[in-house]
Structure formats: C-alpha cells, structure tokens
Amino acid sequence: MSNGHKLHSIFTLIGLYFRVNLASAMEYRSAFMLQVFGMVLSNGSFVFFWWVAFSQIGARIGGYDFTDVMFIWAVTSSAFGTANILFANMNHISRLIISGELDTFLLQPKSVLTSVLCARTSLSAWGDLLYGFLLIALTQGADGRAWLMFFCGLVIGALLMTAVAVTAHTLTFYVGDASTLAGMSVEFIVNFCIYPKGIYAGWVQVLMATLIPATFMVHLPLQLARQFDLLLFAGLLAASAAYCSLAGFFFYRGLRRYESGNLIVTRL
Amino acid sequence: MPANPQGQVAVPDHKRWGADRGPVLKLGKYLAIAKINLHQAIVYRSNVLGGLLFYALFIFVFFSLWRAIYHGGEVQGYSLRQVVWYLCITELLVFGCRTPVFTQMNEDIKTGALAYQLIRPCHYVAYQFAGAVGRMVFNLVCFGILAVVLGMVMVGPLPDYALTKLPLGILSACLGLVINFFLLMCLGLTAFRLEENGAFYLVYQKLVFMLGMFIPLEFLPGWLQRIARWLPFPYVAWAPARLLVAFSWPLFWQILPLQVFWAAIAIGLSLLLYRQGMRGLQANGG
Amino acid sequence: MNMIEAYDLSKTYRTRVRGEGLAASARAMFRPVYREVLAVQSIDLVVPPGEIVAFIGPNGAGKSTTIKMMTGILRPNSGSIRVLGLDPVRERSNLSYHIGTVFGQKSQLWFHLPPTDSFTLLGRIYDVAPGVLKKRIAMLTERFELGALLDVPVRKMSLGQRIRCEVAASLLHEPEILFLDEPTIGLDVVVKQAIRELIRDLNQEKGTTIFLTSHDAGDVEHVCRRAIVIDHGRIVLDQPVKKLKYDYLNRKIIAVRFTEKHDLKTLPGIEVQKTGGLGSRLLVDTRIRPIGEVMSWLVGSGAVADITVEDPPMEEIIATIFSSQDEGGA
C-alpha cells in the first residue's frame, strides 16, 4: 500500500469511529448538556479572572495583553476539545495495556495506534472546541491571520497533546502503570498553555519547548499571528511532525514488549 | 414457643444502655467515625500524591503570574508575598481539603444506599460530617506542610507576622471548611427531589473559585465586592486567607459573625433537607 | 411478647415515569409523572422469640420491602407493624440498638481496613462499652474463627471470610433479632454450610431470633424451622420447614454421566428429564426413592464417570407450590 493510501485509510478510520461514537453518546443527552454547561462555566470563570487581572492591575502581563491571553486560551481549549473528540482513548492507554485489552486492536487489520486512540470520544470536549471558536470570534474579530494561526494551533495542539499523552502512557510497557503520570502530563501541558510564556523563568521556558511542548502548541502560533515569519512557521510544522513521529515510534517500540496482560499484573 | 436455652424471652429493655445515652458518649461515637476515616486515608496515603503534585504546579504557575504582575509595591493592600501566601491558603482549603460529599450524597440517595445507614443508631448527616473531618485532618496535614514549604521557598515568611493571631485565623479556616462542607451537603441532598443536580455543584464550585479562591475579594470591582460580601461564598476561602495573611481586629469582628451565621444556615438547611428527604424515602423507598 | 407482629401490612411505591426526549425530562423536573406499584399486599406475620424464619420468594416478590418495613427504613401505607413492641419508623433509632442486619450485597465493613477497625467503630456507634466490646469481639473471634483474619484488610478476604466477618459485625451489640438478606449468595457449598451452622448455633446458644431471606432452598432446609413464601407481595405459604420439606423439598436433581453408551430404565420415583449421549438428568422424588438407593442403582447399572446432586432452583419449588395450591383450591 502506498503512503498516500495508508494516510487516507487512517482518515477514513478516524471518521468512522467518530460517527459511531457520536451516535452512542447522544443516548446520554442530559449528561452531555451538563458537561457542556460545566465547561462553559469553568472556562468563563477563567476569563473572569483574566478580566479582573487586566482591568485592575496592568495592560500587559508577561508580555501578553488581554487579547493575546484570550488567543492562547482559545487555541488550548479548541485543541484540547479536538484531541478529546477524536482521540479520547488516549487517556486510557495504560489501562488497555495492563488489562490486555490491546488484543482487540491488534487483531484488527488497521493501524493499531489510530484505532486505539479513536475508539472513544468525549462529549464535553465539544464544548471545549466550540468555546475556542467563540473566544476567537469575540476577541480577535476579523483578524484573518489570527484565525489562520488559530486553526494551525488547534491542529498542532491537538496532535502534540495526544503525542505527549501517548508517550507517557507508552512508559507502561516498561515500568508498569503510568496512567497517573500521563494524566499529570496532560494537566501540565494545559497549564503551561494558558498563561503568558513570559511569566516563567528561563528553565521553565526550556521545559516548555521540550518535554512539555506548550510553546509549539499555542505560544508560537500566537507569535506568528502577531508577526508572521515563514521560517518560524516552517520550523513549527517540522517540530510538530517530529513530536508526532517520535510518539508513534515510542508506541510501536513499546508494543513489542506487549504481553497481552501477562506482564504487569503484579498486584499494586 | 420454640425453646430458649436461657429459659427467658428476650424482651427489649428500653432503659438498657444504648436507648438513651447522654450526649457525651454520642460525641465519642462520631469521634470513632472520624478516626476510622483518618485511618483509611492514611492507609491509602498514596492517593494524595497526585493531588500534592497538582497543588504544587498550581501554586508555582500562579506564583510566576503574580511575580510578573507585581513590580514591587502593593495591589489593593496585598504585597506579592501576601498574595502568594493567600493563594497557598485558599488552595489548601478549597483544593487540598475538598470533600466528595456532594457526589457521595448523590450516590447514596440515588442507589438507595442511604437506607442502610438508617438501621444504625447514628445520624446520617453527622456521620458524613464526622467522616469528612477524619479525612480532612489527613489532607490538612499533607497539604498544609506542602503549603508552608512552597510559601517559604517561593516568597519567604511574611514580615512582622503576628503568630499570636494565628489561632484566630485557623478558627476562621475551620469555619470556612464547615460552611463549604454543609453547603455542598445541601446541594447533594437536592438529589432527593431532582434527578439532575450536577449543575448546582458546578455553579457553586465556580462561585467559590471566583469570589475569593483565585484572587482576593479586594481585587474585584467595587460593585461585585459589595454583592459578594452578602453571599456565603467568600466566607469559604477569602475570609480565612485574608485573616491569616493580614489580620486586623475590626476585620475579624466583621468576618467571624458572618462565618458563624453562614455555617448555622448551612447546617440548619442540610438538616431540614435531610429530614424532608427521609420522609419521602420512607414513603417511597429507595 | 412476639418479636415481630405485622397485621394487614401493605406497601405501595410510587415510581417516577421517565419520558423520552429532552422536553419530557424538562417537564418531569417540575411535574413528575408517577406510576403506582404494589410491593406488599396485606401481609400478616407473627414471629415469636427464638424462631428461625426463612422468608423466601423470587426476585421482586416483596422480600426486601418487608424487611425494610421491619427495620424502619420504609413506612407502610397501611396496616400495623411492631418489632420488639416498637413502631419501626417512629422509634427507629431506639429499635436499631436491638436488631442486627446483614445484607449480602451491602457491606458494613470498611473495605480497605482490617475488620478490627470496623468492629471498634460499630461498637462505638451502638454504644457498647469498650470493656464489653472487647469481650464480645474476643468471643465472636473464637466462635467464628476470625483469629487469622482480624488484621487482614477486608478487600483481601474471600467472600466466605467476609461474610463471616459481616455476621460477627452485626452481632457486636447482641441484637435480639438478626435480619439476614441473602447471606449465602455466591458462596461455595462448604462455606455455605459453615455459615448455616453458625446461624443455627447462634439461635441455639443466644436465643436470637433469626429472619432470613434467601434464594437457596438449602438455606431453608438446613437452617430454618419455619418458612414463609412470598410472591407478588402476598404470603402464599407459611408452615414449618419439616412440612415444606416433605411437601415440596422432596425432589433432587441428579446429573449423571457414564463412561460408555448406556440405556437407563426408569424406576418409580425417578423421572428422566433429559438424556443424550453419555449423560442424563434425573428428577428424583426422595419420598419414594431415597438418594442413597438411587446412587447404588446408578452405580449398579453401569460405569459412572461423573455424578452431581442438586436442589431444584427456588423458582421451580415455588412453581410447584402454586400448582399444588391451584389444585387444592379447584
């Protein structure tokens, strides 16, 4: 099969899972409404916080103004939403490895990692996705470059978030249950995405460009939205592709050690 | 009549001990409940690690943020040191000492597990509270130590801190925890009548966050401050944190009665909701 | 005085009817629609002290509703009920000091802690003086052979060990009545028998009145002196177990497999329900043909590879009761 075909089949697979997941999720409408409500509320309370911070204290915080902060917020929210709509199972990989449930996916003739990631969706994630659009529309107006970079950030952010989660969960192949670590890694990423980069000391900024790639997910897209630079943009794309490939490489490397639930069943 | 080896019929003796014990032993009963919860929390101490890490992350992020915002001096009467300590305290009270009472109530009511509590000679609301106290003691110690360590490392001790006022601040913190617990219990008890009450919890949580946990009440615009002071939410986190980082007697006498007032309202309302709900449960089953 | 007296006891539930769709659920929030369900209908029941009563019936027959009314959890719609002379609902907390309960499905032990901790806590809740509690724990530990279990977290116990601890926990305050709801559910035969013996001994030694519900004909046969059968909220049978045993618990199911192909001739009292290949399923009427006799007959008629003897399921027994009552009534 050619590479183009392979990619096409992966996209078809993602689309298929997406439709099935959505249909089954609609069975729980009231829970869905509640989750969306909670998400709007929780994100709204952060906007409130920033509004107070900027209106009471200063026009720029860590080099960002209010619209900048709203931009990174929007990207983070939509990227998180996209990742959890399409790849919600990324939060459960460790469990699948430990309980031997990867078997089901290994038996299927499609890409294992794609099938694993797509086998579940999160409903409240729709709220996160839409919320980002809303924020961009309200705070960036008709700024075309901001919209464009918002979309780039959304895609890159969703992929990198997934890549980091997959990498962290892959550790389960080697050291036993890494689900807490993986959960924390996503929390960390989100946290370093939603505050101005400039508030952090140098060593934290190094972390943000390596282990916790928040810089690539939101901060560089913001920089590009404000002042476009083709070279920087190309670098961003290359770095993102590298992260994703590395995550895939780690996963398949780890998968060789998969023993169908026989390996890590030592009582904790 | 079937044989009874003692040759006597077991007749309930109402005056036998148990039926009408004094309040002192009753307190002992709830102390025992608190103790077993504390014990369980200690056995499962590794559960707290993730929370501690998250707490540290949160404090670090906000410390960075406040440091960037402050360029020396004060904002609304808070120095940078004070505002970081303030945050350490509010997070300790709201996040570190969070209780699952809302979900617990919801589950107990919806699954009918509440009924099994009824066959014990103890009050369900008090039982829950005693259990929460036991768990909170453990969390207070773990998160409290971390809070002090983080505060010391990041900004150092508050200058001229009046240690003698510390107990008063702690008293206010305890009241804040009581208000929080019983308000959440009230919300949980609405499950007797409402199928979907999750929205209440979310709204409540966010109100506590915004009216005192993230930022001192004084930072809010004036009109909002005036409204907030009439609501119970700032008395969960803002009041104790404010008293702990910048104590003043006038403020103390302003805050404490209000905390007592809200605590009484919350406790009274939960008892009322519980009684009403129980009546419904006994009539209609679980 | 009787331990339990109930006259003309009835209970109707209102259950909320849930509509389809968002609009219906929104409407239901403000004006819920209810449907009435008759759970228990006009039950009369008297239990004297020291009795061991089996309360049996299929799922949804009204067993746990009745227990819940006796323990004060549910308020009856009509009729009167007195447990130890007390009104269970009005004097619930007073009554709770005198009754013990074991619900097979709902543990009263702390899952992550050793039972000692739960015992101490329950002792405090029931206001048992520390000195007395210590003695009782020691006594129950010996009687229930819990010595090795006292310091093991409950989650690490087998179901049988856990149930033993559950029963012990419900006896710490020396209740006059012990309610057991499906105490042997999910246990293997040996453990079941041990629990049954414990319950019987408890009744013999302390005179504790026992009220147990069960699905298991064996529980009834081996533990109880009196059986009450409930179905669709009504009592359909209330008689000594001896008589029940003679009338209805007289059948055994034997599954037998031979090593080679074999033709079984039937005898009076043995009905071949199913036969195929090397195995057969027989229904034996033990009044006509005792089990021992059947066994030697089977062994005599060929090389037996495997043999199991079982009680017929409770549902079948109840069906038999119904059919015989219909005959009697007709």
Side-chain angles (χ1 to χ4, degrees), chain B residues 47-60:
Chain B
N47 280 355
V48 88
L49 284 177
L52 289 173
L53 196 59
F54 196 74
Y55 178 90
L57 168 71
F58 188 87
I59 298 289
F60 174 73

Side-chain angles (χ1 to χ4, degrees), chain A residues 1-29:
Chain A
M1 196 168 12
S2 79
N3 263 344
H5 257 101
K6 211 166 171 178
L7 213 59
H8 180 78
S9 111
I10 285 180
F11 282 127
T12 322
L13 194 62
I14 293 176
L16 211 70
Y17 269 113
F18 171 71
R19 279 207 299 278
V20 175
N21 279 325
L22 189 64
S24 66
M26 285 318 282
E27 294 293 307
Y28 301 93
R29 268 169 307 218

